Amino acid sequence: MQAIHFDADPKLLTFIQQKMDKLDTFYDKITSGEVFLKLDKSDNAKLHTKLLEVKIYVPGGTMFVREQGTTFEEATDLAIDTLKMQVKKFKDKRNKARAPKPVDGVLQTDEVAVITEDIED
């Protein structure tokens, strides 16, 4: 986690880490991730908009989300919701790619059927 041009509170970093750890429940092959915290300084606003960028690495791909909110906690919740959808979609795509494909309407599997006949003497 990197706070750009400010020092982040340890409670905030712990909050973000706990939320990120929950993504493992949706896809356990996440290898690493990066979180960037930024303050968006507008000229006419007294309050700074909080920007949160998250990049997650998985085998075969990368997921990225950028969210903003009035607090970093709000931006984190929005980012986690978006990442959950991305992770689920990625996982579904991988599972569909590995699933056996039907040929002529018949699902092909690796199973072998054994047919026996009763022979009368």
Side-chain angles (χ1 to χ4, degrees):
M1 283 187 241
Q2 296 179 14
I4 313 245
H5 302 298
F6 74 98
D7 293 326
D9 185 47
K11 289 181 184 178
L12 173 63
L13 298 177
T14 302
F15 172 81
I16 294 170
Q17 185 64 50
Q18 288 174 344
K19 291 287 188 169
M20 296 296 292
D21 289 343
K22 290 182 181 178
L23 288 175
D24 281 341
T25 60
F26 298 100
Y27 191 59
D28 61 351
K29 292 183 175 32
I30 297 173
T31 56
S32 65
E34 299 175 358
V35 178
F36 299 97
L37 306 169
K38 299 178 185 179
L39 295 173
D40 185 23
K41 299 178 182 177
S42 301
D43 294 337
N44 57 358
K46 290 183 179 181
L47 294 175
H48 299 297
T49 302
K50 282 37 173 203
L51 295 173
L52 181 92
E53 296 178 353
V54 180
K55 190 182 285 188
I56 291 185
Y57 301 97
V58 294
T62 302
M63 292 172 228
F64 180 80
V65 65
R66 175 182 292 142
E67 292 291 344
Q68 64 182 7
T70 55
T71 65
F72 281 116
E73 289 83 1
E74 177 186 349
T76 300
D77 288 337
L78 293 171
I80 293 299
D81 290 341
T82 304
L83 282 170
K84 282 181 190 176
M85 289 187 291
Q86 288 183 8
V87 166
K88 287 178 184 178
K89 187 175 180 179
F90 182 82
K91 185 177 177 181
D92 288 344
K93 273 187 169 181
R94 291 202 56 112
N95 288 342
K96 286 181 183 177
R98 293 180 179 176
K101 300 194 178 4
V103 177
D104 295 330
V106 178
L107 186 63
Q108 300 294 317
T109 63
D110 293 337
E111 297 177 12
V112 176
V114 177
I115 301 174
T116 59
E117 293 182 21
D118 292 333
I119 300 174
E120 293 183 26
D121 291 329

